[in-house]
Amino acid sequence: MAGRIHPEDLETVRERSRIDEVVAAFVQLRPAGGGSLTGLCPFHDEKTPSFRVTPAKGFYYCFGCGEGGDVIGFVQKINNMGFTEAVEFLADRCGVQLRYTEGDGGPRHEPGLRMRILEANQAAAEFFAGQLTSPDAVEGRRFLHGRGFTREHAELFGIGFAPRSGTGLREHLLGRKFSRDDLVKAGLVRENGWDFFQGRLVWPIRDAGRSTLGFGARRLFDDDRMPAKYLNTPETIVYKKSHVLYGLDLARTHIGKKNQAVVVEGYTDVMACHVAGVDTAVASCGTAFGADHSRMLDRLMTADAHSGEVVFTFDGDAAGQAAALKVFSSDASFTAQTYVAVEPTGLDPCDLRIQSGDGAVRELVARRVPLYRYVMRNTIERFDLDRADGRLAAVRAAAPLVASVRDAALVSGYLRELAGWVGLNPDEVRAEVTRANARKVPHEPPPIPAAPPASGEGTDPGLKHTSA
Ligand SMILES: [Zn+2]
């Protein structure tokens, strides 16, 4: 068993870890007078800030949910860590080398697993980045060049190359005195001893504090034995796919300042946005954008979350429409306003930048429309509105969407808009929505109508008809 942390070191860690700085990595804070700071509580859902940090006392407290404590308690709670692990986390942050008093198993001189994994990830990121200039990586460089990125861009995002040998990373890290066991726990090396990523272009995925949590990797070679075009680090104690956003390290402060976050679909889209000046762009990694992701973004925006915007970019195709619908159905988890930006020709931000330049990417985001409008237009456009039965069917398909909106203040506006689109009397539409509400099982997610057929190549994303 581990020894106890030396009391002197524990004191040093407490003294050097400023609670306002530690909290600010997770919560957007603003002055609240009397030397205190305030922001949205990271431990419960709220729209007005009741979370308070008092740096002079080294304490935080939430008047909403009653959570409170010192800097170590905050780290324990937010990272779901034990006491020792939280102290190690902070020691790492403020550069304190911990000593351990003798415990059951004698002194322990090595830091905790979380720290070791972060260190291994950092060393791996540096190794991958170094490999990008190797002759072996020519395909990787060609890919980046083809996507409109320069060497400087690659360096800014820390992009690297995982060698094809399948043992390059393992050998390098074992040489740096990382244990094989830790490399497996970091998801860098497989149980069978092979490197997790082989012959792939690699993006480091970092947290808001710029620690590397894991990697995303793109297939480059036809003989790649892993079928997936994109591979991500498996779940580890530091990499949880529902809690990571690619680009967050670069976007964090801009999201806070602009009160806007742009959610795109892939690594190269995040890159294209940042390079083009949309510096609030992030992407979920290997999973759909979910409620945990939205909470992460909400926390970074200013205390008045109602004025914050989350802008999703989706492909105009069927998959993109289904993704938009999914976000719409889970909209209750957003405190920010939700928008969608869809390129009429279906180009993603990366392709759009290649074809039309940086300005077009900024334009795309500037032309955003409310998500509900996009989703409802997509739903009703599958019906022939020139026919009476088509209009009725369209309203029946859209009614569950309106019924799923929790904010009653919004519903009547949506109703009128829907009635206008299909050319029916608002009362008729209201009746359908009431019927849809009655069918709804409480506490169940709203029904999701089937996405339009995938063959609908020219499916109109509906934006050109809206006047937003
Ligand atoms: Zn709270």
Side-chain angles (χ1 to χ4, degrees):
M1 285 303 292
R4 277 181 36 223
I5 294 167
H6 197 290
E8 266 178 36
D9 294 347
L10 185 57
E11 264 324 290
T12 312
V13 169
R14 273 194 214 278
E15 276 164 26
R16 289 204 204 161
S17 302
R18 294 195 41 175
I19 192 165
D20 49 330
E21 288 175 9
V22 172
V23 172
F26 302 93
V27 181
Q28 181 79 24
L29 293 171
R30 62 175 173 78
S36 288
L37 299 152
T38 186
L40 291 177
C41 179
F43 305 123
H44 82 278
D45 270 330
E46 62 176 358
K47 289 176 181 176
T48 52
S50 42
F51 182 82
R52 197 167 275 242
V53 176
T54 310
K57 292 182 182 161
F59 278 104
Y60 76 95
Y61 184 73
C62 174
F63 293 93
C65 66
E67 266 312 321
D70 66 358
V71 65
I72 297 170
F74 178 82
V75 170
Q76 280 184 262
K77 176 88 183 158
I78 197 132
N79 286 333
N80 196 19
M81 288 173 166
F83 179 80
T84 303
E85 209 184 348
V87 175
E88 288 171 342
F89 173 93
L90 290 167
D92 178 43
R93 216 185 146 272
C94 59
V96 174
Q97 180 69 47
L98 293 174
R99 292 164 297 167
Y100 295 81
T101 59
E102 276 191 47
D104 313 15
R108 186 174 63 165
H109 297 289
E110 53 174 6
L113 179 61
R114 183 187 164 86
M115 250 176 76
R116 298 204 303 275
I117 289 179
L118 291 178
E119 281 169 8
N121 283 345
Q122 181 57 33
E126 285 163 17
F127 172 78
F128 288 142
Q131 293 295 310
L132 189 60
T133 54
S134 71
D136 204 19
V138 63
E139 275 307 316
R141 294 194 296 273
R142 201 172 281 158
F143 173 86
L144 288 171
H145 181 74
R147 294 295 189 280
F149 300 117
T150 64
R151 190 176 174 149
E152 286 71 35
H153 297 145
E155 282 168 11
L156 172 66
F157 290 90
I159 296 167
F161 176 73
R164 304 188 73 183
S165 71
T167 56
L169 179 69
R170 187 195 67 196
E171 281 160 15
H172 175 77
L173 293 181
L174 290 179
R176 296 272 312 271
K177 306 296 175 218
F178 288 100
S179 77
R180 187 181 182 281
D181 191 41
D182 285 353
L183 299 183
V184 172
K185 286 181 180 148
L188 294 166
V189 170
R190 295 172 189 273
E191 292 279 0
N192 61 15
W194 292 97
D195 289 354
F196 191 83
F197 302 112
Q198 302 175 21
R200 285 183 173 239
L201 197 61
V202 176
W203 285 261
I205 299 164
R206 305 178 181 121
D207 67 9
R210 292 191 70 79
S211 292
T212 301
L213 304 177
F215 300 88
R218 189 189 191 281
R219 182 188 169 105
L220 293 172
F221 302 102
D222 289 340
D223 59 357
D224 196 319
R225 272 170 299 176
M226 300 300 293
K229 188 153 99 175
Y230 284 91
L231 264 186
N232 291 94
T233 296
E235 298 278 299
T236 71
I237 68 164
V238 307
Y239 184 88
K240 315 250 182 257
K241 64 185 174 189
S242 60
H243 283 83
V244 296
L245 286 170
Y246 180 67
L248 193 64
D249 53 319
L250 296 171
R252 188 179 85 83
T253 52
H254 303 292
I255 290 172
K257 275 188 208 141
K258 296 183 178 169
N259 221 11
Q260 181 189 71
V262 175
V263 179
V264 297
E265 291 192 270
Y267 303 108
T268 54
D269 293 327
V270 171
M271 292 175 72
C273 282
H274 280 263
V275 168
V278 179
D279 50 16
T280 56
V282 295
S284 57
C285 308
T287 185
F289 188 90
D292 287 325
H293 296 122
S294 74
R295 270 193 287 276
M296 287 167 72
L297 294 181
D298 280 349
R299 263 177 236 148
L300 293 173
M301 290 195 247
T302 59
D304 178 17
H306 283 301
S307 64
E309 287 182 7
V310 177
V311 183
F312 289 87
T313 65
F314 291 116
D315 292 348
D317 64 8
Q321 292 184 20
L325 193 54
K326 192 148 183 267
V327 171
F328 183 80
S329 309
S330 66
D331 194 39
S333 59
F334 286 86
T335 51
Q337 303 268 80
T338 310
Y339 288 79
V340 57
V342 178
E343 225 291 314
T345 55
L347 293 178
D348 58 31
C350 182
D351 287 331
L352 181 62
R353 177 172 168 265
I354 295 168
Q355 238 175 66
S356 310
D358 292 349
V361 177
R362 293 194 296 271
E363 256 304 293
L364 168 67
V365 174
R367 280 199 319 262
R368 67 200 179 279
V369 296
L371 175 67
Y372 84 88
R373 195 174 286 170
Y374 174 73
V375 167
M376 285 214 267
R377 289 230 59 126
N378 282 334
T379 303
I380 64 173
E381 262 165 23
R382 293 180 289 141
F383 301 94
D384 182 358
L385 300 181
D386 291 333
R387 296 163 53 110
D389 56 346
R391 289 195 290 274
L392 190 60
V395 168
R396 285 198 175 137
L401 295 172
V402 180
S404 75
V405 175
R406 273 83 162 178
D407 191 341
L410 296 174
V411 170
S412 60
Y414 290 4
L415 271 172
R416 275 197 303 278
E417 208 160 346
L418 177 59
W421 287 335
V422 294
L424 281 178
N425 181 318
D427 290 335
E428 289 175 82
V429 175
R430 189 182 307 275
E432 281 304 326
V433 171
T434 306
R435 242 167 264 152
N437 249 328
R439 280 194 298 270
K440 212 165 55 171
V441 182
H443 308 299
E444 283 248 318
I448 299 177
S455 59
E457 278 291 312
T459 307
D460 182 353
L463 294 185
K464 54 187 164 202
H465 300 296
T466 58
S467 52

